[in-house]
């Protein structure tokens, strides 16, 4: 199969590219589309055969459920039921964050095939704010299942070229919508009524909507900090993910790195500041600074997966990554870095 990349830059490109994507999706094909988080590999979420092609192209195990993207923020009832005891909180979250990078895990409707949810009674749902994605979803008029458009476990793609590097020859079409606005996958939460005045938001995956963003609406708690008071289903959250082929080591402290003779290294640095006790840039032949200068988290997030891809292509023996502060977006970036550093 040849993989076509179609542009969306000008109105006439956008129109013809969107209709070609919608035509393929209506036929039960898969198409890679830009979203504001990362590029997704989309299929009609209500067509089990189409969704099976996503798993095949990505070589994704079927125990890892997909996120469903509804065409419009008011379309939640296409795929999910909202329990009455959390309805008010869910409405407020949708009003504030949709369309955008927040995914809600809710009880699923019967029309959603088991392959989408890995047999779970719940479905993960969001509404994307990306113009190209929206046009396609609205032209098709159906929810789209769309995990990141990379091979399973590999680096998420934040450009059409990155999708091609991952899935060339395996999918018919990529719509090129340029770079992704956020560059990190959506925040995933489960809203729970725990009998307190505020609902609890269990953050299953940290992302662009931060703990601070969520606080006015409930009590967010990171899954890893959840006390053992109840079990929560966490499918597909594997310790190794987002991983380059090159081994990646995440430093805990500057002194942790002692180069081995004869080995080659590349450095992934947050801001490239030589005075913060971290590594001197000048000592490194190969570096990627995520946000040069003061180090801004949103810029680091946007460039993060691109940086991993670039460093991975250098052919060094090891990528060394500096940690960053685990606050705000730094929680999501550090989550990706830890998984990237874990051996498969
Ligand atoms: P992605 O690969 O970015 O589409 O993200 C899919 C991830 O969403 C999965 O790996 C799960 O961690 C999570 N997810 C999807 N559906 C569910 C669900 N029903 N319950 C809990 N987590 C889910
Ligand atoms: Mg993914």
């Amino acid at each position: 199969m040849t993989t076509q990349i179609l542009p969306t830059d000008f109105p006439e490109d956008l129109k013809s590219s969107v209709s070609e994507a919608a035509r393929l999706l209506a036929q039960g094909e898969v198409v890679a589309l830009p979203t504001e988080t990362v590029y997704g590999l989309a299929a009609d979420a209500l067509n089990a055969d189409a969704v099976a092609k996503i798993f095949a192209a990505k070589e994704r195990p079927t125990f890892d459920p997909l996120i469903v993207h509804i065409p419009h923020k008011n379309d939640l009832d296409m795929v999910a039921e909202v329990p009455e005891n959390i309805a008010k909180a869910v409405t407020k979250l949708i009003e504030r964050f949709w369309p955008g990078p927040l995914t809600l895990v809710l009880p699923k409707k019967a029309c959603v095939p088991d392959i989408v949810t890995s047999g779970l009674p719940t479905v993960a749902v969001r509404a994307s704010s990306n113009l190209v994605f929206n046009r396609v979803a609205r032209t098709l008029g159906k929810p789209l299942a769309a995990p990141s458009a990379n091979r399973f476990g590999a680096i998420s793609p934040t450009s059409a070229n990155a999708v091609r590097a991952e899935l060339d020859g395996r999918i018919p079409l990529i719509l090129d919508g340029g770079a992704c606005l956020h560059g990190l996958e959506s925040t995933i939460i489960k809203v729970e009524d725990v009998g307190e005045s505020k609902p609890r938001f269990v953050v299953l995956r940290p992302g662009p909507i931060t703990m601070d963003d969520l606080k006015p609406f409930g009590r967010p708690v990171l899954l890893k900090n959840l006390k053992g008071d109840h079990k929560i289903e966490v499918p597909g959250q594997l310790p190794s993910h987002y991983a380059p082929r090159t081994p990646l080591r995440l430093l805990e402290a500057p002194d942790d790195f002692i180069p081995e003779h004869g080995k080659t290294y590349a450095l992934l640095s947050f801001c490239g500041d030589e005075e913060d006790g971290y590594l001197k840039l000048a000592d490194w032949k190969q570096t990627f600074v995520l946000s040069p200068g003061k180090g801004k988290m949103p810029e680091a997030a946007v460039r993060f997966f691109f940086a991993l891809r670039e460093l991975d292509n250098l052919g060094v023996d090891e990528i060394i990554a500096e940690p960053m502060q685990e606050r705000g977006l730094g929680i999501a970036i550090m989550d990706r870095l830890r998984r990237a550093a874990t051996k498969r």
Side-chain angles (χ1 to χ4, degrees), residues 243-273:
R245 296 176 311 268
T246 312
L248 182 143
R249 191 178 351 160
L250 176 61
L251 299 183
E252 294 298 333
D255 308 344
D256 281 1
F257 180 63
I258 301 162
E260 252 176 70
H261 187 70
K263 267 183 110 176
T264 55
Y265 301 95
L267 174 70
L268 177 65
S269 172
F270 174 40
C271 57
D273 188 348

mmCIF file of all heavy atoms in Angstrom, residues 243-273:
data_model
loop_
_atom_site.group_PDB
_atom_site.id
_atom_site.type_symbol
_atom_site.label_atom_id
_atom_site.label_comp_id
_atom_site.label_asym_id
_atom_site.label_seq_id
_atom_site.Cartn_x
_atom_site.Cartn_y
_atom_site.Cartn_z
ATOM 1 N N ALA A 243 9.056 5.126 23.540
ATOM 2 C CA ALA A 243 10.477 4.804 23.642
ATOM 3 C C ALA A 243 11.221 4.927 22.313
ATOM 4 O O ALA A 243 10.791 4.385 21.309
ATOM 5 C CB ALA A 243 10.638 3.384 24.181
ATOM 6 N N PRO A 244 12.355 5.653 22.328
ATOM 7 C CA PRO A 244 13.226 5.632 21.160
ATOM 8 C C PRO A 244 13.883 4.251 21.037
ATOM 9 O O PRO A 244 13.877 3.481 21.998
ATOM 10 C CB PRO A 244 14.264 6.709 21.465
ATOM 11 C CG PRO A 244 14.222 6.930 22.933
ATOM 12 C CD PRO A 244 12.877 6.474 23.424
ATOM 13 N N ARG A 245 14.456 3.962 19.872
ATOM 14 C CA ARG A 245 15.195 2.695 19.717
ATOM 15 C C ARG A 245 16.492 2.774 20.516
ATOM 16 O O ARG A 245 16.970 1.799 21.074
ATOM 17 C CB ARG A 245 15.484 2.414 18.236
ATOM 18 C CG ARG A 245 14.229 2.194 17.409
ATOM 19 C CD ARG A 245 14.586 2.026 15.925
ATOM 20 N NE ARG A 245 15.487 3.085 15.453
ATOM 21 C CZ ARG A 245 15.096 4.220 14.892
ATOM 22 N NH1 ARG A 245 13.820 4.462 14.719
ATOM 23 N NH2 ARG A 245 15.975 5.116 14.490
ATOM 24 N N THR A 246 17.079 3.982 20.558
ATOM 25 C CA THR A 246 18.299 4.206 21.325
ATOM 26 C C THR A 246 17.952 4.181 22.819
ATOM 27 O O THR A 246 16.976 4.807 23.217
ATOM 28 C CB THR A 246 18.859 5.617 21.000
ATOM 29 O OG1 THR A 246 18.871 5.782 19.586
ATOM 30 C CG2 THR A 246 20.238 5.820 21.587
ATOM 31 N N PRO A 247 18.756 3.467 23.632
ATOM 32 C CA PRO A 247 18.478 3.498 25.071
ATOM 33 C C PRO A 247 18.492 4.927 25.611
ATOM 34 O O PRO A 247 19.318 5.740 25.175
ATOM 35 C CB PRO A 247 19.623 2.687 25.678
ATOM 36 C CG PRO A 247 20.163 1.880 24.552
ATOM 37 C CD PRO A 247 19.896 2.633 23.285
ATOM 38 N N LEU A 248 17.560 5.223 26.508
ATOM 39 C CA LEU A 248 17.485 6.570 27.087
ATOM 40 C C LEU A 248 17.646 6.476 28.594
ATOM 41 O O LEU A 248 17.044 5.605 29.227
ATOM 42 C CB LEU A 248 16.139 7.215 26.727
ATOM 43 C CG LEU A 248 15.915 8.651 27.207
ATOM 44 C CD1 LEU A 248 15.132 9.455 26.162
ATOM 45 C CD2 LEU A 248 15.182 8.699 28.536
ATOM 46 N N ARG A 249 18.495 7.321 29.133
ATOM 47 C CA ARG A 249 18.702 7.333 30.580
ATOM 48 C C ARG A 249 18.252 8.665 31.146
ATOM 49 O O ARG A 249 18.685 9.716 30.678
ATOM 50 C CB ARG A 249 20.181 7.094 30.899
ATOM 51 C CG ARG A 249 20.368 6.844 32.374
ATOM 52 C CD ARG A 249 21.778 6.557 32.829
ATOM 53 N NE ARG A 249 22.803 6.355 31.815
ATOM 54 C CZ ARG A 249 24.103 6.484 32.081
ATOM 55 N NH1 ARG A 249 24.505 6.817 33.295
ATOM 56 N NH2 ARG A 249 25.002 6.283 31.141
ATOM 57 N N LEU A 250 17.386 8.615 32.135
ATOM 58 C CA LEU A 250 16.903 9.833 32.783
ATOM 59 C C LEU A 250 17.717 10.047 34.048
ATOM 60 O O LEU A 250 17.751 9.184 34.927
ATOM 61 C CB LEU A 250 15.417 9.676 33.121
ATOM 62 C CG LEU A 250 14.768 10.816 33.901
ATOM 63 C CD1 LEU A 250 14.833 12.134 33.138
ATOM 64 C CD2 LEU A 250 13.311 10.470 34.199
ATOM 65 N N LEU A 251 18.397 11.189 34.129
ATOM 66 C CA LEU A 251 19.230 11.461 35.297
ATOM 67 C C LEU A 251 18.368 11.923 36.462
ATOM 68 O O LEU A 251 17.367 12.595 36.261
ATOM 69 C CB LEU A 251 20.253 12.548 34.966
ATOM 70 C CG LEU A 251 21.239 12.240 33.847
ATOM 71 C CD1 LEU A 251 22.225 13.392 33.711
ATOM 72 C CD2 LEU A 251 21.986 10.938 34.101
ATOM 73 N N GLU A 252 18.777 11.562 37.649
ATOM 74 C CA GLU A 252 18.109 12.087 38.834
ATOM 75 C C GLU A 252 18.878 13.291 39.369
ATOM 76 O O GLU A 252 18.304 14.212 39.926
ATOM 77 C CB GLU A 252 17.988 11.014 39.922
ATOM 78 C CG GLU A 252 17.079 9.839 39.549
ATOM 79 C CD GLU A 252 15.620 10.244 39.295
ATOM 80 O OE1 GLU A 252 15.177 11.262 39.858
ATOM 81 O OE2 GLU A 252 14.939 9.555 38.510
ATOM 82 N N ALA A 253 20.202 13.276 39.217
ATOM 83 C CA ALA A 253 21.063 14.369 39.685
ATOM 84 C C ALA A 253 22.201 14.553 38.686
ATOM 85 O O ALA A 253 22.553 13.616 37.983
ATOM 86 C CB ALA A 253 21.617 14.039 41.061
ATOM 87 N N PRO A 254 22.784 15.762 38.621
ATOM 88 C CA PRO A 254 23.830 16.039 37.624
ATOM 89 C C PRO A 254 25.003 15.076 37.694
ATOM 90 O O PRO A 254 25.539 14.673 36.664
ATOM 91 C CB PRO A 254 24.292 17.451 37.963
ATOM 92 C CG PRO A 254 23.249 18.041 38.821
ATOM 93 C CD PRO A 254 22.498 16.929 39.467
ATOM 94 N N ASP A 255 25.393 14.696 38.937
ATOM 95 C CA ASP A 255 26.585 13.854 39.071
ATOM 96 C C ASP A 255 26.340 12.418 38.634
ATOM 97 O O ASP A 255 27.252 11.610 38.610
ATOM 98 C CB ASP A 255 27.046 13.786 40.535
ATOM 99 C CG ASP A 255 27.208 15.150 41.145
ATOM 100 O OD1 ASP A 255 27.262 16.109 40.341
ATOM 101 O OD2 ASP A 255 27.276 15.253 42.381
ATOM 102 N N ASP A 256 25.095 12.102 38.338
ATOM 103 C CA ASP A 256 24.783 10.722 37.981
ATOM 104 C C ASP A 256 25.453 10.276 36.690
ATOM 105 O O ASP A 256 25.565 9.095 36.429
ATOM 106 C CB ASP A 256 23.269 10.552 37.762
ATOM 107 C CG ASP A 256 22.549 10.432 39.086
ATOM 108 O OD1 ASP A 256 23.235 10.496 40.115
ATOM 109 O OD2 ASP A 256 21.312 10.295 39.069
ATOM 110 N N PHE A 257 25.867 11.237 35.881
ATOM 111 C CA PHE A 257 26.379 10.843 34.571
ATOM 112 C C PHE A 257 27.894 10.846 34.527
ATOM 113 O O PHE A 257 28.543 11.876 34.652
ATOM 114 C CB PHE A 257 25.831 11.770 33.488
ATOM 115 C CG PHE A 257 26.345 11.401 32.131
ATOM 116 C CD1 PHE A 257 26.044 10.164 31.579
ATOM 117 C CD2 PHE A 257 27.156 12.269 31.411
ATOM 118 C CE1 PHE A 257 26.533 9.807 30.334
ATOM 119 C CE2 PHE A 257 27.645 11.911 30.166
ATOM 120 C CZ PHE A 257 27.322 10.685 29.632
ATOM 121 N N ILE A 258 28.444 9.655 34.350
ATOM 122 C CA ILE A 258 29.888 9.534 34.113
ATOM 123 C C ILE A 258 30.039 8.815 32.780
ATOM 124 O O ILE A 258 29.627 7.656 32.653
ATOM 125 C CB ILE A 258 30.569 8.727 35.243
ATOM 126 C CG1 ILE A 258 30.320 9.416 36.591
ATOM 127 C CG2 ILE A 258 32.063 8.562 34.978
ATOM 128 C CD1 ILE A 258 30.560 8.524 37.793
ATOM 129 N N PRO A 259 30.556 9.509 31.744
ATOM 130 C CA PRO A 259 30.631 8.874 30.437
ATOM 131 C C PRO A 259 31.553 7.657 30.440
ATOM 132 O O PRO A 259 32.567 7.643 31.141
ATOM 133 C CB PRO A 259 31.176 9.981 29.527
ATOM 134 C CG PRO A 259 31.654 11.060 30.412
ATOM 135 C CD PRO A 259 31.084 10.872 31.765
ATOM 136 N N GLU A 260 31.172 6.652 29.685
ATOM 137 C CA GLU A 260 32.016 5.461 29.556
ATOM 138 C C GLU A 260 32.910 5.651 28.348
ATOM 139 O O GLU A 260 32.430 6.111 27.306
ATOM 140 C CB GLU A 260 31.128 4.243 29.297
ATOM 141 C CG GLU A 260 31.016 3.283 30.455
ATOM 142 C CD GLU A 260 30.047 2.171 30.106
ATOM 143 O OE1 GLU A 260 30.376 1.337 29.244
ATOM 144 O OE2 GLU A 260 28.937 2.185 30.678
ATOM 145 N N HIS A 261 34.156 5.258 28.474
ATOM 146 C CA HIS A 261 35.092 5.448 27.383
ATOM 147 C C HIS A 261 34.626 4.684 26.138
ATOM 148 O O HIS A 261 34.221 3.534 26.228
ATOM 149 C CB HIS A 261 36.492 4.979 27.800
ATOM 150 C CG HIS A 261 37.522 5.302 26.757
ATOM 151 N ND1 HIS A 261 37.925 6.600 26.511
ATOM 152 C CD2 HIS A 261 38.183 4.518 25.873
ATOM 153 C CE1 HIS A 261 38.797 6.590 25.524
ATOM 154 N NE2 HIS A 261 38.977 5.339 25.123
ATOM 155 N N GLY A 262 34.666 5.365 24.986
ATOM 156 C CA GLY A 262 34.331 4.691 23.723
ATOM 157 C C GLY A 262 32.848 4.699 23.396
ATOM 158 O O GLY A 262 32.454 4.268 22.321
ATOM 159 N N LYS A 263 32.033 5.177 24.317
ATOM 160 C CA LYS A 263 30.587 5.234 24.032
ATOM 161 C C LYS A 263 30.184 6.642 23.590
ATOM 162 O O LYS A 263 30.782 7.627 24.013
ATOM 163 C CB LYS A 263 29.782 4.871 25.302
ATOM 164 C CG LYS A 263 29.426 3.394 25.376
ATOM 165 C CD LYS A 263 28.571 3.113 26.593
ATOM 166 C CE LYS A 263 27.158 2.762 26.215
ATOM 167 N NZ LYS A 263 26.335 2.395 27.379
ATOM 168 N N THR A 264 29.170 6.713 22.723
ATOM 169 C CA THR A 264 28.723 8.036 22.269
ATOM 170 C C THR A 264 27.377 8.380 22.896
ATOM 171 O O THR A 264 26.530 7.509 23.096
ATOM 172 C CB THR A 264 28.594 8.079 20.736
ATOM 173 O OG1 THR A 264 27.726 7.011 20.328
ATOM 174 C CG2 THR A 264 29.940 7.940 20.055
ATOM 175 N N TYR A 265 27.207 9.660 23.204
ATOM 176 C CA TYR A 265 26.005 10.111 23.924
ATOM 177 C C TYR A 265 25.401 11.345 23.262
ATOM 178 O O TYR A 265 26.105 12.113 22.609
ATOM 179 C CB TYR A 265 26.374 10.490 25.365
ATOM 180 C CG TYR A 265 26.976 9.366 26.149
ATOM 181 C CD1 TYR A 265 28.369 9.218 26.234
ATOM 182 C CD2 TYR A 265 26.170 8.450 26.811
ATOM 183 C CE1 TYR A 265 28.929 8.182 26.956
ATOM 184 C CE2 TYR A 265 26.728 7.411 27.538
ATOM 185 C CZ TYR A 265 28.106 7.287 27.610
ATOM 186 O OH TYR A 265 28.662 6.268 28.331
ATOM 187 N N ALA A 266 24.106 11.528 23.479
ATOM 188 C CA ALA A 266 23.450 12.790 23.121
ATOM 189 C C ALA A 266 22.667 13.252 24.338
ATOM 190 O O ALA A 266 22.198 12.440 25.134
ATOM 191 C CB ALA A 266 22.518 12.593 21.943
ATOM 192 N N LEU A 267 22.550 14.572 24.476
ATOM 193 C CA LEU A 267 21.894 15.134 25.653
ATOM 194 C C LEU A 267 20.543 15.755 25.294
ATOM 195 O O LEU A 267 20.443 16.546 24.363
ATOM 196 C CB LEU A 267 22.794 16.224 26.259
ATOM 197 C CG LEU A 267 22.178 17.024 27.419
ATOM 198 C CD1 LEU A 267 22.044 16.164 28.664
ATOM 199 C CD2 LEU A 267 23.014 18.264 27.722
ATOM 200 N N LEU A 268 19.524 15.384 26.060
ATOM 201 C CA LEU A 268 18.229 16.059 25.971
ATOM 202 C C LEU A 268 18.135 16.971 27.185
ATOM 203 O O LEU A 268 18.077 16.510 28.323
ATOM 204 C CB LEU A 268 17.083 15.040 25.985
ATOM 205 C CG LEU A 268 15.672 15.632 25.969
ATOM 206 C CD1 LEU A 268 15.403 16.374 24.664
ATOM 207 C CD2 LEU A 268 14.624 14.531 26.142
ATOM 208 N N SER A 269 18.183 18.287 26.911
ATOM 209 C CA SER A 269 18.228 19.258 28.005
ATOM 210 C C SER A 269 16.937 20.059 28.040
ATOM 211 O O SER A 269 16.332 20.307 27.002
ATOM 212 C CB SER A 269 19.426 20.186 27.768
ATOM 213 O OG SER A 269 19.414 21.250 28.690
ATOM 214 N N PHE A 270 16.509 20.473 29.226
ATOM 215 C CA PHE A 270 15.283 21.268 29.316
ATOM 216 C C PHE A 270 15.539 22.685 28.804
ATOM 217 O O PHE A 270 14.982 23.114 27.806
ATOM 218 C CB PHE A 270 14.764 21.271 30.752
ATOM 219 C CG PHE A 270 13.580 22.178 30.978
ATOM 220 C CD1 PHE A 270 12.565 22.278 30.040
ATOM 221 C CD2 PHE A 270 13.487 22.935 32.143
ATOM 222 C CE1 PHE A 270 11.475 23.121 30.243
ATOM 223 C CE2 PHE A 270 12.396 23.772 32.349
ATOM 224 C CZ PHE A 270 11.401 23.864 31.399
ATOM 225 N N CYS A 271 16.447 23.436 29.472
ATOM 226 C CA CYS A 271 16.643 24.829 29.059
ATOM 227 C C CYS A 271 18.086 25.135 28.667
ATOM 228 O O CYS A 271 18.388 26.230 28.204
ATOM 229 C CB CYS A 271 16.176 25.773 30.151
ATOM 230 S SG CYS A 271 16.993 25.513 31.709
ATOM 231 N N GLY A 272 18.977 24.167 28.853
ATOM 232 C CA GLY A 272 20.361 24.388 28.438
ATOM 233 C C GLY A 272 21.111 25.337 29.353
ATOM 234 O O GLY A 272 22.115 25.900 28.965
ATOM 235 N N ASP A 273 20.603 25.524 30.552
ATOM 236 C CA ASP A 273 21.235 26.440 31.492
ATOM 237 C C ASP A 273 22.427 25.762 32.144
ATOM 238 O O ASP A 273 22.290 24.726 32.776
ATOM 239 C CB ASP A 273 20.212 26.847 32.559
ATOM 240 C CG ASP A 273 20.752 27.944 33.455
ATOM 241 O OD1 ASP A 273 21.964 28.215 33.403
ATOM 242 O OD2 ASP A 273 19.942 28.518 34.191
#
